[in-house]
Amino acid sequence: MLLCTVNSNAPIGIFDSGYGGLTVFRSIKEKLPQYDYIYLGDNARAPYGNRSFETVHEYTLECVQWFFKMGCPLVILACNTASAKALRTIQQNDLPKINPNNRVLGVIRPTAEIIGSFSKTKKVGVLGTKGTILSESYPIEIHHFSPGVKVYQQACPMFVPLIENGEYESEAADYFVKKYLGELLVQDNDIDTILLACTHYPLLMKKMKQQLPEHIQIIAQGANVANSLDEYLQRHPEMKTSLSKNQTTQFFTTDDVNDFEEHATVFFGEKVHAMHLSLH
Ligand code: DGL
């Protein structure tokens, strides 16, 4: 007799410091609707962007361990800051000790793999949090896949606080979009592609487009991360078959549930019902 051991509760975990990961989750769910998902926004401790490596690692690992307790065999860090500062340590040092069969994936590598192909001038601008930019993860990874591409970076420390506080359509947002785009483009006139290397930034896409000449394209990460997850699951049938497929979605936040539901709807594009998670 053949025994089937597929777990009926093995969702994919999607993590971000706050709301930003919802822009990636939206694309993942569109592409792969058959799976179960748990989203966690660590809003109570967001933004992560200016925090030290040690702190981002500690917070991210704590959340990853919670996902494992919730039954997730696979966790996506839908946060560039956590991917830049915590992913490698989690993959190399923590996972082998905590749960060698589980997997944690980030958003930097799948983006770095393809971004060079978008640029005709081979000059790419990267906007991210201070943590992501200072980590140099993007220039290193992009050069690995596209050695001929020049990468220019700009940290945008005010973007996440503005977005987390619902100020992404305000005049203050206009001011900082102009300031950071100006500081990026002054580095080279030929930049023709701007990568939003922070999952919060798509909320400012409209404002950025208003301020940029038409020949400069802006690339967000969602669709590409979703494609890359799909390919990963094709390459790893053992992971693919271990995931449960009941099409359920649960949202958790470490901060206020009502606030989360209100903002999350804008990021996710549909109504969100959330639960509170206390990590302490
Ligand atoms: N969405 C996160 C990212 O992609 C924002 C980080 C933060 O909390 O500052 O980097």
Side-chain angles (χ1 to χ4, degrees):
M1 193 172 72
L2 192 66
L3 283 180
C4 183
T5 56
V6 175
N7 192 337
S8 63
N9 176 41
I12 298 175
I14 314 267
F15 171 72
D16 183 43
S17 60
Y19 300 112
L22 291 162
T23 62
V24 170
F25 181 26
R26 188 173 176 166
S27 302
I28 290 178
K29 223 187 138 203
E30 247 168 58
K31 175 96 190 168
L32 302 165
Q34 65 272 40
Y35 297 105
D36 294 311
Y37 294 97
I38 298 181
Y39 182 90
L40 171 61
D42 190 9
N43 301 77
R45 300 187 292 197
Y48 280 14
N50 288 344
R51 296 190 188 277
S52 68
F53 269 85
E54 291 72 22
T55 305
V56 174
H57 171 247
E58 182 196 323
Y59 289 177
T60 307
L61 180 61
E62 202 177 0
C63 294
V64 163
Q65 287 181 294
W66 174 80
F67 278 114
F68 290 170
K69 277 198 209 116
M70 296 294 284
C72 303
L74 175 63
V75 178
I76 312 295
L77 303 185
C79 174
N80 289 271
T81 310
S83 299
K85 291 187 157 190
L87 181 63
R88 188 179 295 242
T89 313
I90 290 177
Q91 286 176 332
Q92 293 179 355
N93 298 352
D94 304 314
L95 266 187
K97 289 182 221 142
I98 338 166
N99 199 327
N101 295 324
N102 285 2
R103 290 289 172 268
V104 181
L105 306 175
V107 288
I108 294 180
R109 200 188 161 109
T111 310
E113 248 173 36
I114 52 108
I115 193 66
S117 66
F118 284 91
S119 173
K120 289 200 183 81
T121 59
K122 299 296 163 205
K123 291 182 178 178
V124 171
V126 174
L127 300 179
T129 64
K130 199 172 132 202
T132 300
I133 298 305
L134 290 180
S135 76
E136 292 283 325
S137 300
Y138 273 100
I140 293 167
E141 289 284 333
I142 294 173
H143 288 147
H144 177 72
F145 294 107
S146 314
V149 169
K150 276 193 133 186
V151 180
Y152 301 88
Q153 301 199 95
Q154 180 61 44
C156 311
M158 285 306 290
F159 278 178
V160 173
L162 279 168
I163 295 168
E164 282 284 310
N165 288 291
E167 295 286 341
Y168 43 86
E169 283 183 340
S170 65
E171 279 175 26
D174 280 320
Y175 172 83
F176 283 106
V177 165
K178 191 166 181 210
K179 173 179 161 65
Y180 295 141
L181 285 179
E183 285 170 11
L184 175 69
L185 295 176
V186 79
Q187 297 179 46
D188 196 308
N189 259 337
D190 287 337
I191 293 171
D192 68 350
T193 303
I194 295 180
L195 169 67
L196 304 186
C198 172
T199 55
H200 280 68
Y201 296 0
L203 270 274
L204 292 169
M205 177 81 98
K206 206 170 84 195
K207 287 211 176 294
M208 289 190 207
K209 281 190 173 158
Q210 282 164 2
Q211 298 202 20
L212 281 174
E214 257 181 33
H215 73 278
I216 301 183
Q217 57 183 334
I218 311 175
I219 309 294
Q221 295 175 292
N224 178 53
V225 171
N227 287 340
S228 159
L229 175 59
D230 189 21
E231 283 161 21
Y232 173 85
L233 293 173
Q234 308 295 346
R235 288 197 311 275
H236 295 86
E238 73 295 344
M239 177 58 80
K240 189 175 172 174
T241 48
S242 78
L243 294 167
S244 55
K245 298 170 192 73
N246 306 306
Q247 304 192 11
T248 64
T249 304
Q250 289 175 279
F251 295 90
F252 289 85
T253 175
T254 54
D255 207 350
D256 185 78
V257 167
N258 294 328
D259 256 12
F260 184 87
E261 289 179 349
E262 190 188 321
H263 289 109
T265 304
V266 183
F267 282 79
F268 194 58
E270 62 184 78
K271 197 145 180 41
V272 162
H273 172 71
M275 283 168 274
H276 181 259
L277 169 68
S278 176
L279 282 168
H280 301 288

